[in-house]
Amino acid sequence: MGRGLGVGVGLGATVAVAVAVAVAVAVGVKVAVAVAVGVNVAVAVGVNVAVAVGVGVNVAVGVALGDAVGVGDGVPHGPEA
């Protein structure tokens, strides 16, 4: 009886530890994946914002240059107006 109980307790502890480790690993992997997805989203959004800002700056510069040289609408612009 004592031996059977001892073996039973030992097996139960082993299974409990194995399950605990498996759950911890699974949760860790899910957290890691979530963090990776979060980083990817943050990077993608950041890059998109940077591109949008870059495009906005390029458009603004293009408009300013066009205005400075008076091209596009045939109406004088700048100092000669």
Side-chain angles (χ1 to χ4, degrees), residues 6-70:
V7 171
V9 170
L11 287 177
T14 301
V15 170
V17 169
V19 169
V21 169
V23 169
V25 169
V27 169
V29 168
K30 286 180 180 176
V31 169
V33 169
V35 169
V37 169
V39 168
N40 287 338
V41 168
V43 168
V45 169
V47 168
N48 288 338
V49 169
V51 168
V53 169
V55 169
V57 168
N58 288 337
V59 168
V61 168
V63 168
L65 287 175
D67 197 53
V69 298

